[in-house]
Amino acid sequence: MEVERVQAIASLSLTTDTIPAEFIRPEKEQPAITTFRGPVPEIPTIDLSDPDQENLVRSIANASKEWGIFQVVNHGVPTDVITKLQAVGKEFFELPPEEKEVYAKIPGSQSIEGYGTQLQKDIDGKKPWVDHLFHKIWPPSTINYRFWPKNPPSYRDANEVYAKYIREVADKLFTSLSLGLGVEGHALKEGAGGEDIVYMLKINYYPPCPRPDLALGVVAHTDFSALTILVPNEVPGLQVLKDDHWIDAPYIPNAMIVHIGDQIEILSNGIYRSVLHRSTVDKGKARMSWPVFLEPPGEFVVGPLPQLVNEEDPPKYKAKKFKDYAYCKLNKLPQ
């Protein structure tokens, strides 16, 4: 079955100033109606190079309890490494459709890897205004290069270099998050899969949209990863739900955005919270983002850390294999 890509629909829609009905969100989701325009608190920005370790741990823990999201600066990933990652991803999405389709998701596959459009079931039959490319970037044993574009030729190198640096950022975050819970620094990383944690890169491509007031790039969701570390392009669009208001995440050049995912909420027994977020789209420019989802291996069982559970604080979540958690979430089944 031929899948219609949003990029193709977008190029047809730009001349008409309308979008197909399946992209028009219900009023309760439309960004023009639901985005909060009043004074808003700022999503925390944290300097990862802070020499005061206690202050860094406290800042990350507070942001993860109160927001479930924060931006990090001075994170140690060189600017040119991020620039190259973004350049090769943009080049891929600018290729002719038939070249991108070589990397299409395999129909009927259990894996989400590959070039595609719709990911989750939508109860109302609505569609998000986004195309994407998924592939793993670490550990080497999990990588399937079939889904890594060969064009541009520098794609592989740019992603391998980025993978090296992002693992260092992730380790620093896991350590601070663990210490912020009062447990040993290695506890959360080990609880999420240790050295076997899978780094799944996704490139989101949100084409220009004639009616950004009516559509969403990605609907409201929490990530089922442990952590998500994301770099966006300069077109804003990420929104987070805070105190029942949808608020815009500001674009900070060279910052990385960190989302607490469902698995860290579970491991922390609800002390840290997975952030509900969505993505809006832009009328004049393509928005792009490069999230890396840090996920446990499929067979790995995740549950609240034993150190955080006692008679006064019983477990709030069931321990289960990550693949079972992901299946239930993707198919909108109870956990």
Side-chain angles (χ1 to χ4, degrees):
M1 186 186 83
E2 189 69 19
V3 181
E4 207 169 8
R5 302 298 180 199
V6 177
Q7 213 171 345
I9 295 164
S11 53
L12 294 173
S13 302
L14 284 175
T15 51
T16 61
D17 214 32
T18 58
I19 56 173
E22 63 267 28
F23 291 97
I24 298 174
R25 308 306 309 183
E27 280 196 3
K28 67 180 189 298
E29 293 181 14
Q30 288 177 13
I33 297 171
T34 56
T35 300
F36 187 64
R37 303 292 177 195
V40 291
E42 286 220 351
I43 293 169
T45 301
I46 296 170
D47 183 345
L48 266 196
S49 68
D50 188 344
D52 182 342
Q53 181 70 15
E54 280 184 21
N55 186 54
L56 179 63
V57 167
R58 191 167 49 248
S59 301
I60 288 176
N62 288 344
S64 303
K65 290 171 186 172
E66 293 167 22
W67 285 85
I69 185 172
F70 49 95
Q71 303 212 46
V72 292
V73 294
N74 298 321
H75 40 63
V77 184
T79 306
D80 69 307
V81 170
I82 294 173
T83 303
K84 284 176 185 161
L85 175 85
Q86 294 183 317
V88 295
K90 184 167 180 280
E91 277 185 63
F92 171 74
F93 276 93
E94 288 169 352
L95 291 173
E98 59 277 12
E99 284 196 54
K100 293 194 287 274
E101 292 299 340
V102 170
Y103 303 96
K105 212 169 270 150
I106 298 162
S109 165
Q110 289 304 299
S111 169
I112 61 170
E113 286 191 276
Y115 171 61
T117 296
Q118 186 126 2
L119 185 60
Q120 276 185 299
K121 280 185 174 178
D122 189 298
I123 292 160
D124 304 320
K126 296 292 182 184
K127 291 182 177 176
W129 192 265
V130 64
D131 295 325
H132 61 247
L133 175 69
F134 272 104
H135 62 72
K136 293 170 186 163
I137 59 172
W138 194 263
S141 60
T142 65
I143 292 174
N144 184 348
Y145 287 111
R146 180 196 180 294
F147 297 114
W148 288 45
K150 292 185 175 54
N151 193 9
S154 53
Y155 187 92
R156 178 166 171 170
D157 183 62
N159 278 265
E160 286 178 342
V161 172
Y162 186 68
K164 172 180 159 299
Y165 280 103
I166 200 171
R167 281 170 20 241
E168 293 169 11
V169 175
D171 282 349
K172 193 161 193 175
L173 292 169
F174 272 127
T175 300
S176 294
L177 285 162
S178 298
L179 295 172
L181 292 169
V183 297
E184 291 182 317
H186 57 76
L188 279 177
K189 182 175 175 179
E190 287 188 6
E195 293 305 320
D196 296 323
I197 289 172
V198 175
Y199 286 64
M200 176 75 83
L201 173 81
K202 181 186 187 192
I203 307 177
N204 287 307
Y205 184 88
Y206 308 96
C209 178
R211 296 301 305 270
D213 54 323
L214 302 178
L216 283 173
V218 177
V219 298
H221 68 287
T222 60
D223 293 345
F224 37 88
S225 57
L227 275 180
T228 304
I229 304 172
L230 176 152
V231 289
N233 73 349
E234 76 291 348
V235 181
L238 178 65
Q239 294 188 330
V240 300
L241 192 69
K242 174 72 170 153
D243 303 329
D244 291 326
H245 292 310
W246 283 110
I247 64 170
D248 293 307
Y251 169 67
I252 301 173
N254 301 319
M256 303 178 100
I257 301 170
V258 180
H259 300 174
I260 300 297
D262 295 347
Q263 305 312 305
I264 280 197
E265 179 172 316
I266 292 165
L267 286 160
S268 72
N269 205 31
I271 295 171
Y272 294 149
R273 63 189 200 88
S274 189
V275 63
L276 192 65
H277 57 287
R278 70 183 186 182
S279 182
T280 61
V281 292
D282 191 84
K283 186 161 187 168
K285 299 190 187 103
R287 178 170 183 263
M288 294 186 73
S289 65
W290 286 257
V292 174
F293 302 98
L294 277 62
E295 302 176 345
E299 295 292 331
F300 193 85
V301 177
V302 178
L305 289 173
Q307 306 93 301
L308 300 176
V309 173
N310 53 43
E311 278 182 22
E312 286 85 56
D313 286 306
K316 297 186 175 80
Y317 308 86
K318 280 191 288 198
K320 64 198 301 185
K321 287 182 180 177
F322 178 68
K323 68 172 188 182
D324 297 334
Y325 183 92
Y327 179 84
C328 290
K329 180 140 178 167
L330 269 177
N331 292 285
K332 298 201 168 12
L333 301 169
Q335 287 295 348

